[in-house]
Amino acid sequence: MILTDSVSVSGVRRTTDGYLVADARVARTGIQEYLGSEVGKPDVPIIRVYRPPEAVFAEDAMRSYAYRPMTNDHHGDVNAGNWKQLAVGQTGSEVLRDGDFVRVPLVLMDAAAIRDYEAGKRELSMGLEATVVFEDGVTPDGQTYNARIESMRMNHLALVDRARGGEQLRIGDQRAPGVQPQAQDDPKGGHDMADALRKLLVDGLTIETTEQGAQAIEKLNKQLSDAQVNIKTLTDGHAAAMATKDAELAKKDAEIDSLKSKQLSDADIDKRVQERADLISTAKQIADGDYTGKSEAEIRKAAVVAKLGDAAVKDKADAYIAARFDILAEDAAEDPVRQHMRQQDGKPTNPADNGQTAYEQRLADAWRGESK
């Protein structure tokens, strides 16, 4: 768990290079108050956290103050991946106990951070990892608490506007010009933290929260925004896919309707068969020929050629040939001799009687003559 603690800078001096060097108290024992959201208890407004001496001055904890990067305000966890962008200085190695405080040397090297210091931003806040045990208890001097720290490891030291520990942790021996006294811890558990809060606009509402709370909200807002973008991308992709699928289905439906329109009913088939039979019959009236397997246009052309010869249709359009066919059909319909011959040709004969039918006919004719 990352916690922050605030103390003041003292023993300040400037080097010839423009750096700001100081010796500062950076941690203390006792009660410090946190918003519940800072320590994983968002449903509790204020958590009073007790730092016992055995945790603050533990050997591992004291060793972790040395060579920590300094930042201008807190920016979450500082590590090898981001220190170059965040660091404005660092702590030294001579970590000492000073009564109830831990004191370390530090150097502030960034010009912008030094200007902030000169403008009145002079307090320090440790960013640390800590093991927090939530329990109700009472300190040796009679103060109640809701949680207790068992171990700590420092991560970074931040230059901040307000110290959590109170006015006694201000910069140097005198308050900076124009800086007002800070509110002290309320023995009853209250704490004026308004100046340490940030205002954020969330879903149209203005809220106040700590720096850590603001960072968490901003991170969640970004994740929500990214999720909305991803949802929109997926929705648009789905809509495009559905539009493509709908177009494909519409095309298939059109093809099916087209095929249905091309299907012939039984009546249509009968009609077409009759029309073809009539056409072939008409063609045979014009001229005998084999019209099997030919299209309507080919049947007309074959009949005209059989009747008039190839020259009659050479280089002629289908419409011309169809007109000649109709004229020949009318002529054939008016020729009674041809009709009679075709009718006679159509009567059945018995080629296997070897003249028996003719012989019988002559006998009958002779008998009729004798009878007269």
Side-chain angles (χ1 to χ4, degrees):
M1 181 177 293
I2 298 291
L3 301 177
T4 59
D5 185 19
S6 300
V7 295
S8 63
V9 178
S10 61
V12 180
R13 64 184 178 85
R14 297 290 291 273
T15 69
T16 56
D17 297 321
Y19 301 149
L20 187 146
V21 178
D23 190 64
R25 292 173 173 178
V26 295
R28 66 175 176 86
T29 61
I31 301 291
Q32 294 192 32
E33 294 185 344
Y34 292 83
L35 293 176
S37 59
E38 293 182 282
V39 291
K41 297 286 184 180
D43 55 326
V44 181
I46 298 295
I47 299 291
R48 290 169 58 82
V49 180
Y50 175 46
R51 297 186 181 187
E54 58 268 25
V56 174
F57 303 122
E59 182 179 354
D60 290 343
M62 294 289 282
R63 187 181 300 112
S64 70
Y65 287 95
Y67 303 118
R68 294 294 91 191
M70 284 191 65
T71 62
N72 198 353
D73 290 320
H74 287 288
H75 299 281
D77 181 55
V78 180
N79 52 55
N82 60 19
W83 75 268
K84 191 172 183 179
Q85 291 76 35
L86 300 177
V88 296
Q90 73 172 35
T91 64
S93 61
E94 297 178 2
V95 182
L96 301 173
R97 176 173 179 173
D98 182 7
D100 292 332
F101 298 89
V102 176
R103 181 183 294 274
V104 297
L106 61 88
V107 55
L108 196 59
M109 307 176 72
D110 180 72
I114 293 172
R115 286 195 297 270
D116 287 345
Y117 161 80
E118 292 173 341
K121 186 177 184 179
R122 300 187 175 184
E123 297 182 3
L124 298 171
S125 176
M126 290 301 309
L128 61 141
E129 296 178 357
T131 300
V132 180
V133 178
F134 290 95
E135 63 179 16
D136 293 331
V138 180
T139 67
D141 60 355
Q143 297 185 65
T144 60
Y145 60 84
N146 314 113
R148 172 175 52 83
I149 286 182
E150 287 189 343
S151 63
M152 299 186 297
R153 188 187 71 83
M154 304 306 124
N155 177 263
H156 64 277
L157 177 63
L159 184 68
V160 296
D161 290 305
R162 296 288 182 176
R164 194 186 301 272
E167 185 181 3
Q168 75 275 18
L169 302 179
R170 65 182 183 270
I171 296 173
D173 295 329
Q174 298 295 328
R175 192 180 299 122
V179 177
Q180 297 301 317
Q182 301 175 45
Q184 302 296 318
D185 291 344
D186 183 351
K188 295 181 180 180
H191 189 64
D192 184 5
M193 303 183 69
D195 290 336
L197 300 181
R198 279 180 54 187
K199 290 185 178 180
L200 291 177
L201 186 66
V202 180
D203 197 20
L205 300 175
T206 301
I207 64 171
E208 291 186 341
T209 183
T210 62
E211 178 66 27
Q212 291 84 356
Q215 292 176 11
I217 291 172
E218 289 167 351
K219 181 179 180 180
L220 290 174
N221 282 338
K222 185 178 184 305
Q223 291 175 343
L224 178 60
S225 177
D226 292 343
Q228 291 173 340
V229 170
N230 290 337
I231 290 173
K232 185 178 186 304
T233 300
L234 291 174
T235 301
D236 292 346
H238 179 70
M242 289 300 295
T244 301
K245 184 61 67 177
D246 289 343
E248 292 175 355
L249 291 175
K251 183 178 179 181
K252 292 294 183 183
D253 289 342
E255 292 174 352
I256 292 172
D257 291 341
S258 177
L259 291 173
K260 286 181 178 178
S261 67
K262 294 177 181 179
Q263 290 181 345
L264 298 176
S265 64
D266 291 341
D268 290 335
I269 294 173
D270 291 343
K271 181 180 178 182
R272 290 200 176 188
V273 169
Q274 185 61 48
E275 289 175 348
R276 182 174 179 83
D278 291 344
L279 178 62
I280 292 175
S281 176
T282 301
K284 287 184 176 181
Q285 287 179 6
I286 295 171
D288 292 332
D290 184 7
Y291 301 107
T292 305
K294 291 182 171 59
S295 67
E296 294 181 358
E298 290 172 341
I299 291 172
R300 293 187 180 95
K301 183 177 180 179
V304 173
V305 169
K307 184 68 176 178
L308 303 177
D310 291 332
V313 297
K314 183 178 181 181
D315 299 328
K316 301 299 183 181
D318 288 344
Y320 173 86
I321 297 173
R324 291 299 300 269
F325 178 87
D326 291 340
I327 293 172
L328 292 174
E330 292 176 359
D331 293 342
E334 296 173 355
D335 185 354
V337 176
R338 181 174 177 80
Q339 290 182 0
H340 174 74
M341 294 299 294
R342 288 184 60 81
Q343 290 173 359
Q344 291 299 316
D345 290 343
K347 291 182 178 180
T349 60
N350 185 9
D353 67 353
N354 296 316
Q356 180 65 32
T357 300
Y359 174 74
E360 290 175 357
Q361 184 63 43
R362 287 196 300 270
L363 288 178
D365 290 341
W367 181 81
R368 283 194 297 271
E370 291 175 359
S371 297
K372 293 179 179 181

